[in-house]
Amino acid sequence: MESSVTLYAFPPSHCSQKVRLALAEKHVAYTNRFVDIELRLQNFEPDYLRLNPRGVVPTLIHGDHVVTDSAKIIRYVDDAFDGPSLSPQDETERKRMDDWIDLQDRLRIRELTFGSMKGAMGHALRSVSMPLRKRKLLRLKSANPDLAEVYDAKIEDLHRWRTSIASPEEMAQVRDEMRSALDRVEKRLGESPYLAGESYSLADLAWTCTFARLKMLGVWDSFCGPERSPGIGAYYSRLRSRPSFDRAGVWERRPPPDVRRALLKVMLTGSGETRVEA
Ligand SMILES: N[C@@H](CCC(=O)N[C@@H](CS)C(=O)NCC(=O)O)C(=O)O
Protein backbone atom coordinates (compact mmCIF):
# COMPACT_ATOMS: atom_id res chain seq x y z
CA MET A 1 0.00 0.00 0.00
CA GLU A 2 1.28 3.48 -0.86
CA SER A 3 2.09 5.82 2.05
CA SER A 4 -0.20 8.79 2.36
CA VAL A 5 1.03 12.29 1.60
CA THR A 6 -0.10 15.37 3.55
CA LEU A 7 1.02 18.92 2.89
CA TYR A 8 0.60 21.56 5.60
CA ALA A 9 0.47 24.82 3.68
CA PHE A 10 -1.09 28.25 3.33
CA PRO A 11 -2.41 29.03 -0.19
CA PRO A 12 -0.64 32.39 -0.83
CA SER A 13 2.62 31.37 0.87
CA HIS A 14 5.51 31.49 -1.54
CA CYS A 15 7.27 28.47 0.01
CA SER A 16 4.04 26.44 -0.02
CA GLN A 17 3.66 27.19 -3.72
CA LYS A 18 7.09 25.73 -4.46
CA VAL A 19 6.04 22.45 -2.92
CA ARG A 20 2.61 22.41 -4.58
CA LEU A 21 4.37 22.96 -7.89
CA ALA A 22 6.74 20.03 -7.25
CA LEU A 23 3.81 17.77 -6.32
CA ALA A 24 1.94 18.87 -9.45
CA GLU A 25 4.97 18.26 -11.70
CA LYS A 26 5.31 14.76 -10.25
CA HIS A 27 1.55 14.06 -10.38
CA VAL A 28 1.37 13.18 -6.70
CA ALA A 29 -2.06 13.01 -5.04
CA TYR A 30 -2.09 14.45 -1.53
CA THR A 31 -4.16 15.89 1.27
CA ASN A 32 -3.73 19.61 1.71
CA ARG A 33 -4.01 20.80 5.32
CA PHE A 34 -4.71 24.51 5.51
CA VAL A 35 -2.50 26.29 8.07
CA ASP A 36 -3.48 29.91 8.63
CA ILE A 37 -0.26 31.86 9.14
CA GLU A 38 -1.86 35.33 9.10
CA LEU A 39 -4.87 35.59 11.42
CA ARG A 40 -5.39 32.52 13.54
CA LEU A 41 -1.65 31.80 13.37
CA GLN A 42 -2.06 28.05 13.49
CA ASN A 43 1.65 27.71 12.73
CA PHE A 44 2.35 28.79 16.33
CA GLU A 45 0.23 26.06 17.91
CA PRO A 46 2.20 23.49 19.95
CA ASP A 47 1.11 20.54 17.81
CA TYR A 48 2.31 22.25 14.66
CA LEU A 49 5.61 23.33 16.29
CA ARG A 50 6.26 19.71 17.18
CA LEU A 51 6.14 18.95 13.46
CA ASN A 52 7.92 22.08 12.30
CA PRO A 53 9.95 23.66 15.13
CA ARG A 54 10.51 26.86 13.14
CA GLY A 55 6.74 27.35 13.04
CA VAL A 56 6.58 27.98 9.31
CA VAL A 57 4.84 26.40 6.35
CA PRO A 58 5.22 24.18 4.44
CA THR A 59 5.61 20.78 6.08
CA LEU A 60 5.25 17.55 4.13
CA ILE A 61 4.35 14.24 5.73
CA HIS A 62 4.90 11.13 3.68
CA GLY A 63 4.29 7.93 5.64
CA ASP A 64 6.72 8.22 8.58
CA HIS A 65 8.76 11.03 7.05
CA VAL A 66 8.26 14.59 8.23
CA VAL A 67 10.06 16.97 5.89
CA THR A 68 10.35 20.70 6.50
CA ASP A 69 11.92 23.54 4.51
CA SER A 70 10.69 23.99 0.96
CA ALA A 71 14.13 23.56 -0.64
CA LYS A 72 14.49 20.19 1.10
CA ILE A 73 10.89 19.20 0.43
CA ILE A 74 11.07 19.74 -3.34
CA ARG A 75 14.22 17.59 -3.48
CA TYR A 76 12.50 14.96 -1.35
CA VAL A 77 9.43 14.97 -3.62
CA ASP A 78 11.57 14.51 -6.70
CA ASP A 79 13.45 11.56 -5.15
CA ALA A 80 10.54 9.84 -3.43
CA PHE A 81 7.96 9.76 -6.20
CA ASP A 82 7.77 8.35 -9.70
CA GLY A 83 7.10 10.66 -12.57
CA PRO A 84 9.43 12.77 -14.68
CA SER A 85 12.75 13.45 -12.94
CA LEU A 86 13.25 17.11 -12.08
CA SER A 87 16.98 16.75 -11.41
CA PRO A 88 19.67 16.37 -14.07
CA GLN A 89 21.68 13.14 -14.18
CA ASP A 90 24.85 14.99 -15.09
CA GLU A 91 26.85 15.87 -11.97
CA THR A 92 27.86 19.37 -13.09
CA GLU A 93 24.31 20.25 -13.99
CA ARG A 94 23.06 18.82 -10.72
CA LYS A 95 25.50 20.95 -8.76
CA ARG A 96 24.39 23.95 -10.78
CA MET A 97 20.75 23.15 -10.01
CA ASP A 98 21.55 22.98 -6.28
CA ASP A 99 23.33 26.35 -6.40
CA TRP A 100 20.32 28.00 -8.08
CA ILE A 101 17.92 26.46 -5.57
CA ASP A 102 20.09 27.73 -2.71
CA LEU A 103 20.34 31.23 -4.18
CA GLN A 104 16.56 31.38 -4.49
CA ASP A 105 16.19 30.06 -0.95
CA ARG A 106 18.37 32.87 0.46
CA LEU A 107 16.23 35.65 -1.03
CA ARG A 108 14.33 37.49 1.69
CA ILE A 109 10.92 37.09 0.13
CA ARG A 110 8.84 37.48 3.26
CA GLU A 111 10.52 40.83 3.97
CA LEU A 112 9.97 41.87 0.38
CA THR A 113 6.31 40.77 0.60
CA PHE A 114 5.52 42.46 3.90
CA GLY A 115 7.50 45.55 2.97
CA SER A 116 6.03 45.94 -0.54
CA MET A 117 2.40 44.78 -0.35
CA LYS A 118 0.16 47.72 -1.17
CA GLY A 119 -3.40 48.70 -0.14
CA ALA A 120 -5.53 47.26 2.63
CA MET A 121 -3.76 43.93 2.47
CA GLY A 122 -0.36 45.56 3.07
CA HIS A 123 -1.78 47.50 5.99
CA ALA A 124 -3.34 44.32 7.46
CA LEU A 125 -0.07 42.40 7.19
CA ARG A 126 2.10 45.10 8.74
CA SER A 127 -0.22 46.68 11.28
CA VAL A 128 -2.68 43.94 12.26
CA SER A 129 -0.96 40.61 11.75
CA MET A 130 2.43 41.61 13.25
CA PRO A 131 1.15 42.69 16.72
CA LEU A 132 -1.17 39.66 16.80
CA ARG A 133 1.85 37.42 16.30
CA LYS A 134 3.76 38.80 19.26
CA ARG A 135 0.77 38.50 21.60
CA LYS A 136 0.01 34.95 20.54
CA LEU A 137 3.64 33.82 20.86
CA LEU A 138 3.94 35.22 24.39
CA ARG A 139 0.66 33.63 25.46
CA LEU A 140 1.56 30.24 24.02
CA LYS A 141 5.05 30.37 25.51
CA SER A 142 3.69 30.76 29.02
CA ALA A 143 1.11 28.01 28.47
CA ASN A 144 3.71 25.57 27.04
CA PRO A 145 6.92 25.80 29.08
CA ASP A 146 8.29 22.64 27.41
CA LEU A 147 8.43 24.61 24.14
CA ALA A 148 9.87 27.81 25.66
CA GLU A 149 13.06 27.67 23.57
CA VAL A 150 11.14 27.20 20.36
CA TYR A 151 8.86 30.15 21.21
CA ASP A 152 11.87 32.31 22.16
CA ALA A 153 13.46 31.62 18.77
CA LYS A 154 10.19 32.53 17.07
CA ILE A 155 9.86 35.76 19.08
CA GLU A 156 13.44 36.68 18.19
CA ASP A 157 12.78 35.94 14.51
CA LEU A 158 9.62 38.08 14.62
CA HIS A 159 11.60 40.94 16.13
CA ARG A 160 14.21 40.78 13.31
CA TRP A 161 11.44 40.58 10.71
CA ARG A 162 9.58 43.63 12.04
CA THR A 163 12.81 45.60 12.38
CA SER A 164 13.76 44.81 8.78
CA ILE A 165 10.48 45.89 7.23
CA ALA A 166 10.48 49.10 9.26
CA SER A 167 14.01 50.02 8.10
CA PRO A 168 14.33 51.73 4.69
CA GLU A 169 18.05 50.81 4.62
CA GLU A 170 17.37 47.12 5.20
CA MET A 171 14.56 47.07 2.69
CA ALA A 172 16.90 48.69 0.15
CA GLN A 173 19.34 45.88 0.84
CA VAL A 174 16.60 43.24 0.40
CA ARG A 175 15.77 44.77 -2.98
CA ASP A 176 19.45 44.99 -3.99
CA GLU A 177 19.95 41.31 -3.18
CA MET A 178 16.92 40.46 -5.30
CA ARG A 179 18.19 42.61 -8.19
CA SER A 180 21.64 41.11 -8.20
CA ALA A 181 20.21 37.55 -8.07
CA LEU A 182 17.94 38.42 -11.01
CA ASP A 183 20.90 39.80 -12.95
CA ARG A 184 22.61 36.45 -12.48
CA VAL A 185 19.50 34.66 -13.77
CA GLU A 186 19.39 36.97 -16.79
CA LYS A 187 23.04 36.26 -17.56
CA ARG A 188 22.55 32.52 -17.19
CA LEU A 189 19.61 32.57 -19.60
CA GLY A 190 21.96 33.97 -22.24
CA GLU A 191 23.90 30.70 -21.96
CA SER A 192 21.23 28.07 -21.49
CA PRO A 193 17.44 27.66 -21.81
CA TYR A 194 17.05 26.51 -18.21
CA LEU A 195 19.07 27.27 -15.09
CA ALA A 196 20.77 23.90 -14.72
CA GLY A 197 21.13 23.18 -18.43
CA GLU A 198 19.02 22.02 -21.34
CA SER A 199 16.07 20.72 -19.29
CA TYR A 200 13.58 22.03 -16.78
CA SER A 201 14.65 21.20 -13.21
CA LEU A 202 13.83 21.93 -9.57
CA ALA A 203 15.83 25.15 -9.93
CA ASP A 204 13.41 26.52 -12.53
CA LEU A 205 10.52 25.32 -10.39
CA ALA A 206 11.75 27.25 -7.34
CA TRP A 207 12.37 30.42 -9.35
CA THR A 208 8.90 30.22 -10.94
CA CYS A 209 7.41 31.09 -7.56
CA THR A 210 9.77 34.02 -7.05
CA PHE A 211 8.78 35.52 -10.40
CA ALA A 212 5.10 34.99 -9.62
CA ARG A 213 5.59 36.78 -6.29
CA LEU A 214 7.17 39.79 -8.02
CA LYS A 215 4.14 39.91 -10.31
CA MET A 216 1.71 39.62 -7.41
CA LEU A 217 3.42 42.43 -5.51
CA GLY A 218 3.21 44.66 -8.57
CA VAL A 219 7.00 45.15 -8.57
CA TRP A 220 7.85 43.04 -11.63
CA ASP A 221 8.74 46.03 -13.81
CA SER A 222 11.04 47.56 -11.27
CA PHE A 223 12.95 44.28 -10.87
CA CYS A 224 12.83 42.65 -14.27
CA GLY A 225 11.27 44.97 -16.80
CA PRO A 226 11.99 44.33 -20.50
CA GLU A 227 15.00 46.67 -20.64
CA ARG A 228 16.91 45.10 -17.82
CA SER A 229 15.78 41.48 -18.11
CA PRO A 230 14.39 40.57 -21.55
CA GLY A 231 15.50 36.96 -21.09
CA ILE A 232 13.64 36.58 -17.80
CA GLY A 233 10.37 37.82 -19.34
CA ALA A 234 10.45 35.13 -22.05
CA TYR A 235 11.68 32.48 -19.62
CA TYR A 236 8.89 33.19 -17.13
CA SER A 237 6.30 32.89 -19.94
CA ARG A 238 7.64 29.41 -20.66
CA LEU A 239 7.60 28.46 -16.98
CA ARG A 240 4.06 29.66 -16.34
CA SER A 241 2.71 27.90 -19.43
CA ARG A 242 3.49 24.51 -17.90
CA PRO A 243 0.28 22.70 -16.87
CA SER A 244 1.62 22.41 -13.31
CA PHE A 245 1.43 26.19 -12.83
CA ASP A 246 -2.38 26.31 -12.77
CA ARG A 247 -2.75 22.92 -11.14
CA ALA A 248 -0.56 24.05 -8.25
CA GLY A 249 -2.47 27.30 -7.84
CA VAL A 250 0.58 29.56 -8.08
CA TRP A 251 -0.50 33.09 -7.21
CA GLU A 252 0.75 35.76 -9.58
CA ARG A 253 -1.98 38.26 -8.87
CA ARG A 254 -4.29 38.91 -6.00
CA PRO A 255 -7.31 36.65 -6.45
CA PRO A 256 -10.76 38.02 -7.27
CA PRO A 257 -13.02 39.04 -4.35
CA ASP A 258 -15.00 35.75 -4.23
CA VAL A 259 -11.78 33.73 -3.82
CA ARG A 260 -10.51 36.20 -1.21
CA ARG A 261 -13.79 35.89 0.69
CA ALA A 262 -13.59 32.08 0.59
CA LEU A 263 -10.00 32.21 1.86
CA LEU A 264 -10.97 34.57 4.67
CA LYS A 265 -13.83 32.27 5.65
CA VAL A 266 -11.48 29.28 5.97
CA MET A 267 -9.03 31.47 7.88
CA LEU A 268 -11.68 32.49 10.37
CA THR A 269 -13.61 29.28 10.78
CA GLY A 270 -12.26 26.32 8.90
CA SER A 271 -9.99 23.43 9.66
CA GLY A 272 -9.55 23.26 5.89
CA GLU A 273 -8.55 19.87 4.58
CA THR A 274 -8.81 19.17 0.86
CA ARG A 275 -7.83 16.29 -1.34
CA VAL A 276 -5.72 17.13 -4.38
CA GLU A 277 -5.79 14.51 -7.10
CA ALA A 278 -2.72 13.50 -9.10
N1 LIG B 1 13.11 28.31 4.57
C1 LIG B 1 11.74 27.99 4.85
C2 LIG B 1 11.00 29.29 5.07
C3 LIG B 1 9.55 29.04 5.38
C4 LIG B 1 8.79 30.34 5.59
O1 LIG B 1 9.36 31.39 5.92
N2 LIG B 1 7.49 30.24 5.43
C5 LIG B 1 6.63 31.38 5.57
C6 LIG B 1 5.58 31.37 4.47
S1 LIG B 1 6.35 31.41 2.86
C7 LIG B 1 5.91 31.27 6.90
O2 LIG B 1 5.45 30.23 7.30
N3 LIG B 1 5.80 32.40 7.60
C8 LIG B 1 5.11 32.46 8.85
C9 LIG B 1 6.01 32.89 9.97
O3 LIG B 1 7.23 33.06 9.77
O4 LIG B 1 5.50 33.05 11.08
C10 LIG B 1 11.15 27.22 3.68
O5 LIG B 1 11.57 27.43 2.55
O6 LIG B 1 10.27 26.36 3.91
Side-chain angles (χ1 to χ4, degrees), residues 85-101:
S85 172
L86 301 171
S87 306
Q89 296 301 312
D90 177 79
E91 223 172 278
T92 312
E93 290 194 4
R94 202 182 175 99
K95 162 88 177 61
R96 215 183 271 137
M97 174 187 87
D98 284 336
D99 289 346
W100 284 109
I101 292 174

PDB file of all heavy atoms in Angstrom, residues 85-101:
ATOM      1  N   SER A  85      11.720  12.953 -13.874  1.00  0.00           N
ATOM      2  CA  SER A  85      12.746  13.450 -12.940  1.00  0.00           C
ATOM      3  C   SER A  85      12.927  14.954 -13.134  1.00  0.00           C
ATOM      4  O   SER A  85      12.948  15.457 -14.254  1.00  0.00           O
ATOM      5  CB  SER A  85      14.066  12.738 -13.200  1.00  0.00           C
ATOM      6  OG  SER A  85      15.056  13.369 -12.415  1.00  0.00           O
ATOM      7  N   LEU A  86      13.067  15.653 -12.022  1.00  0.00           N
ATOM      8  CA  LEU A  86      13.246  17.108 -12.076  1.00  0.00           C
ATOM      9  C   LEU A  86      14.677  17.487 -11.694  1.00  0.00           C
ATOM     10  O   LEU A  86      14.946  18.642 -11.351  1.00  0.00           O
ATOM     11  CB  LEU A  86      12.243  17.787 -11.129  1.00  0.00           C
ATOM     12  CG  LEU A  86      10.765  17.493 -11.437  1.00  0.00           C
ATOM     13  CD1 LEU A  86       9.868  18.022 -10.333  1.00  0.00           C
ATOM     14  CD2 LEU A  86      10.369  18.100 -12.782  1.00  0.00           C
ATOM     15  N   SER A  87      15.570  16.498 -11.731  1.00  0.00           N
ATOM     16  CA  SER A  87      16.983  16.753 -11.407  1.00  0.00           C
ATOM     17  C   SER A  87      17.841  16.152 -12.505  1.00  0.00           C
ATOM     18  O   SER A  87      17.627  14.995 -12.893  1.00  0.00           O
ATOM     19  CB  SER A  87      17.357  16.093 -10.089  1.00  0.00           C
ATOM     20  OG  SER A  87      16.481  16.493  -9.078  1.00  0.00           O
ATOM     21  N   PRO A  88      18.834  16.917 -12.988  1.00  0.00           N
ATOM     22  CA  PRO A  88      19.669  16.368 -14.066  1.00  0.00           C
ATOM     23  C   PRO A  88      20.508  15.183 -13.587  1.00  0.00           C
ATOM     24  O   PRO A  88      20.867  15.116 -12.411  1.00  0.00           O
ATOM     25  CB  PRO A  88      20.587  17.539 -14.434  1.00  0.00           C
ATOM     26  CG  PRO A  88      20.158  18.702 -13.631  1.00  0.00           C
ATOM     27  CD  PRO A  88      19.190  18.267 -12.592  1.00  0.00           C
ATOM     28  N   GLN A  89      20.806  14.281 -14.503  1.00  0.00           N
ATOM     29  CA  GLN A  89      21.678  13.139 -14.177  1.00  0.00           C
ATOM     30  C   GLN A  89      23.135  13.593 -14.116  1.00  0.00           C
ATOM     31  O   GLN A  89      23.900  13.134 -13.290  1.00  0.00           O
ATOM     32  CB  GLN A  89      21.566  12.057 -15.273  1.00  0.00           C
ATOM     33  CG  GLN A  89      20.183  11.440 -15.387  1.00  0.00           C
ATOM     34  CD  GLN A  89      19.761  10.788 -14.081  1.00  0.00           C
ATOM     35  OE1 GLN A  89      20.528  10.031 -13.485  1.00  0.00           O
ATOM     36  NE2 GLN A  89      18.566  11.123 -13.608  1.00  0.00           N
ATOM     37  N   ASP A  90      23.476  14.518 -14.998  1.00  0.00           N
ATOM     38  CA  ASP A  90      24.855  14.986 -15.089  1.00  0.00           C
ATOM     39  C   ASP A  90      25.262  15.711 -13.797  1.00  0.00           C
ATOM     40  O   ASP A  90      24.530  16.567 -13.297  1.00  0.00           O
ATOM     41  CB  ASP A  90      24.927  15.953 -16.284  1.00  0.00           C
ATOM     42  CG  ASP A  90      26.297  16.554 -16.427  1.00  0.00           C
ATOM     43  OD1 ASP A  90      27.170  15.864 -16.961  1.00  0.00           O
ATOM     44  OD2 ASP A  90      26.494  17.710 -15.979  1.00  0.00           O
ATOM     45  N   GLU A  91      26.443  15.341 -13.286  1.00  0.00           N
ATOM     46  CA  GLU A  91      26.854  15.865 -11.974  1.00  0.00           C
ATOM     47  C   GLU A  91      27.032  17.381 -11.955  1.00  0.00           C
ATOM     48  O   GLU A  91      26.658  18.071 -11.004  1.00  0.00           O
ATOM     49  CB  GLU A  91      28.162  15.189 -11.566  1.00  0.00           C
ATOM     50  CG  GLU A  91      28.171  14.791 -10.112  1.00  0.00           C
ATOM     51  CD  GLU A  91      29.390  13.951  -9.788  1.00  0.00           C
ATOM     52  OE1 GLU A  91      29.369  12.724 -10.042  1.00  0.00           O
ATOM     53  OE2 GLU A  91      30.369  14.550  -9.317  1.00  0.00           O
ATOM     54  N   THR A  92      27.639  17.917 -13.042  1.00  0.00           N
ATOM     55  CA  THR A  92      27.864  19.370 -13.086  1.00  0.00           C
ATOM     56  C   THR A  92      26.532  20.113 -13.107  1.00  0.00           C
ATOM     57  O   THR A  92      26.336  21.113 -12.411  1.00  0.00           O
ATOM     58  CB  THR A  92      28.656  19.743 -14.360  1.00  0.00           C
ATOM     59  OG1 THR A  92      29.755  18.864 -14.465  1.00  0.00           O
ATOM     60  CG2 THR A  92      29.110  21.176 -14.358  1.00  0.00           C
ATOM     61  N   GLU A  93      25.619  19.594 -13.904  1.00  0.00           N
ATOM     62  CA  GLU A  93      24.307  20.251 -13.990  1.00  0.00           C
ATOM     63  C   GLU A  93      23.557  20.139 -12.659  1.00  0.00           C
ATOM     64  O   GLU A  93      22.854  21.046 -12.242  1.00  0.00           O
ATOM     65  CB  GLU A  93      23.470  19.632 -15.111  1.00  0.00           C
ATOM     66  CG  GLU A  93      23.997  19.974 -16.485  1.00  0.00           C
ATOM     67  CD  GLU A  93      23.000  19.669 -17.595  1.00  0.00           C
ATOM     68  OE1 GLU A  93      21.863  19.257 -17.297  1.00  0.00           O
ATOM     69  OE2 GLU A  93      23.374  19.843 -18.761  1.00  0.00           O
ATOM     70  N   ARG A  94      23.747  19.011 -12.000  1.00  0.00           N
ATOM     71  CA  ARG A  94      23.058  18.821 -10.717  1.00  0.00           C
ATOM     72  C   ARG A  94      23.585  19.811  -9.678  1.00  0.00           C
ATOM     73  O   ARG A  94      22.839  20.410  -8.920  1.00  0.00           O
ATOM     74  CB  ARG A  94      23.275  17.381 -10.249  1.00  0.00           C
ATOM     75  CG  ARG A  94      22.220  16.959  -9.286  1.00  0.00           C
ATOM     76  CD  ARG A  94      22.455  15.560  -8.774  1.00  0.00           C
ATOM     77  NE  ARG A  94      21.453  15.291  -7.779  1.00  0.00           N
ATOM     78  CZ  ARG A  94      20.347  14.599  -7.999  1.00  0.00           C
ATOM     79  NH1 ARG A  94      20.104  14.092  -9.167  1.00  0.00           N
ATOM     80  NH2 ARG A  94      19.483  14.416  -7.030  1.00  0.00           N
ATOM     81  N   LYS A  95      24.897  19.996  -9.697  1.00  0.00           N
ATOM     82  CA  LYS A  95      25.505  20.949  -8.758  1.00  0.00           C
ATOM     83  C   LYS A  95      24.984  22.362  -9.071  1.00  0.00           C
ATOM     84  O   LYS A  95      24.664  23.153  -8.181  1.00  0.00           O
ATOM     85  CB  LYS A  95      27.030  20.845  -8.908  1.00  0.00           C
ATOM     86  CG  LYS A  95      27.836  21.984  -8.372  1.00  0.00           C
ATOM     87  CD  LYS A  95      28.148  21.748  -6.888  1.00  0.00           C
ATOM     88  CE  LYS A  95      29.026  22.815  -6.263  1.00  0.00           C
ATOM     89  NZ  LYS A  95      28.522  24.148  -6.263  1.00  0.00           N
ATOM     90  N   ARG A  96      24.891  22.639 -10.371  1.00  0.00           N
ATOM     91  CA  ARG A  96      24.389  23.952 -10.776  1.00  0.00           C
ATOM     92  C   ARG A  96      22.940  24.135 -10.300  1.00  0.00           C
ATOM     93  O   ARG A  96      22.573  25.181  -9.786  1.00  0.00           O
ATOM     94  CB  ARG A  96      24.452  24.048 -12.295  1.00  0.00           C
ATOM     95  CG  ARG A  96      24.793  25.423 -12.793  1.00  0.00           C
ATOM     96  CD  ARG A  96      24.757  25.463 -14.298  1.00  0.00           C
ATOM     97  NE  ARG A  96      25.997  25.135 -14.948  1.00  0.00           N
ATOM     98  CZ  ARG A  96      26.117  24.348 -16.026  1.00  0.00           C
ATOM     99  NH1 ARG A  96      25.070  23.775 -16.566  1.00  0.00           N
ATOM    100  NH2 ARG A  96      27.273  24.124 -16.567  1.00  0.00           N
ATOM    101  N   MET A  97      22.142  23.082 -10.479  1.00  0.00           N
ATOM    102  CA  MET A  97      20.746  23.151 -10.015  1.00  0.00           C
ATOM    103  C   MET A  97      20.717  23.461  -8.507  1.00  0.00           C
ATOM    104  O   MET A  97      19.972  24.349  -8.057  1.00  0.00           O
ATOM    105  CB  MET A  97      20.034  21.819 -10.274  1.00  0.00           C
ATOM    106  CG  MET A  97      18.630  21.780  -9.693  1.00  0.00           C
ATOM    107  SD  MET A  97      17.865  20.149  -9.820  1.00  0.00           S
ATOM    108  CE  MET A  97      18.476  19.381  -8.319  1.00  0.00           C
ATOM    109  N   ASP A  98      21.549  22.756  -7.741  1.00  0.00           N
ATOM    110  CA  ASP A  98      21.550  22.976  -6.280  1.00  0.00           C
ATOM    111  C   ASP A  98      21.923  24.419  -5.948  1.00  0.00           C
ATOM    112  O   ASP A  98      21.328  25.036  -5.062  1.00  0.00           O
ATOM    113  CB  ASP A  98      22.530  22.013  -5.603  1.00  0.00           C
ATOM    114  CG  ASP A  98      21.958  20.596  -5.525  1.00  0.00           C
ATOM    115  OD1 ASP A  98      20.721  20.455  -5.548  1.00  0.00           O
ATOM    116  OD2 ASP A  98      22.743  19.639  -5.473  1.00  0.00           O
ATOM    117  N   ASP A  99      22.904  24.961  -6.676  1.00  0.00           N
ATOM    118  CA  ASP A  99      23.328  26.352  -6.398  1.00  0.00           C
ATOM    119  C   ASP A  99      22.183  27.336  -6.681  1.00  0.00           C
ATOM    120  O   ASP A  99      21.973  28.279  -5.918  1.00  0.00           O
ATOM    121  CB  ASP A  99      24.539  26.731  -7.258  1.00  0.00           C
ATOM    122  CG  ASP A  99      25.797  25.996  -6.800  1.00  0.00           C
ATOM    123  OD1 ASP A  99      25.777  25.427  -5.694  1.00  0.00           O
ATOM    124  OD2 ASP A  99      26.777  25.977  -7.575  1.00  0.00           O
ATOM    125  N   TRP A 100      21.435  27.092  -7.756  1.00  0.00           N
ATOM    126  CA  TRP A 100      20.320  28.005  -8.076  1.00  0.00           C
ATOM    127  C   TRP A 100      19.188  27.873  -7.063  1.00  0.00           C
ATOM    128  O   TRP A 100      18.546  28.859  -6.706  1.00  0.00           O
ATOM    129  CB  TRP A 100      19.801  27.765  -9.496  1.00  0.00           C
ATOM    130  CG  TRP A 100      20.700  28.330 -10.557  1.00  0.00           C
ATOM    131  CD1 TRP A 100      21.480  27.632 -11.427  1.00  0.00           C
ATOM    132  CD2 TRP A 100      20.937  29.715 -10.838  1.00  0.00           C
ATOM    133  NE1 TRP A 100      22.176  28.495 -12.238  1.00  0.00           N
ATOM    134  CE2 TRP A 100      21.863  29.778 -11.901  1.00  0.00           C
ATOM    135  CE3 TRP A 100      20.461  30.908 -10.296  1.00  0.00           C
ATOM    136  CZ2 TRP A 100      22.318  30.986 -12.440  1.00  0.00           C
ATOM    137  CZ3 TRP A 100      20.914  32.117 -10.824  1.00  0.00           C
ATOM    138  CH2 TRP A 100      21.829  32.146 -11.877  1.00  0.00           C
ATOM    139  N   ILE A 101      18.955  26.645  -6.600  1.00  0.00           N
ATOM    140  CA  ILE A 101      17.917  26.459  -5.566  1.00  0.00           C
ATOM    141  C   ILE A 101      18.342  27.206  -4.300  1.00  0.00           C
ATOM    142  O   ILE A 101      17.544  27.895  -3.659  1.00  0.00           O
ATOM    143  CB  ILE A 101      17.711  24.951  -5.244  1.00  0.00           C
ATOM    144  CG1 ILE A 101      17.095  24.229  -6.437  1.00  0.00           C
ATOM    145  CG2 ILE A 101      16.836  24.780  -4.003  1.00  0.00           C
ATOM    146  CD1 ILE A 101      16.985  22.714  -6.252  1.00  0.00           C
TER     147      ILE A 101
END
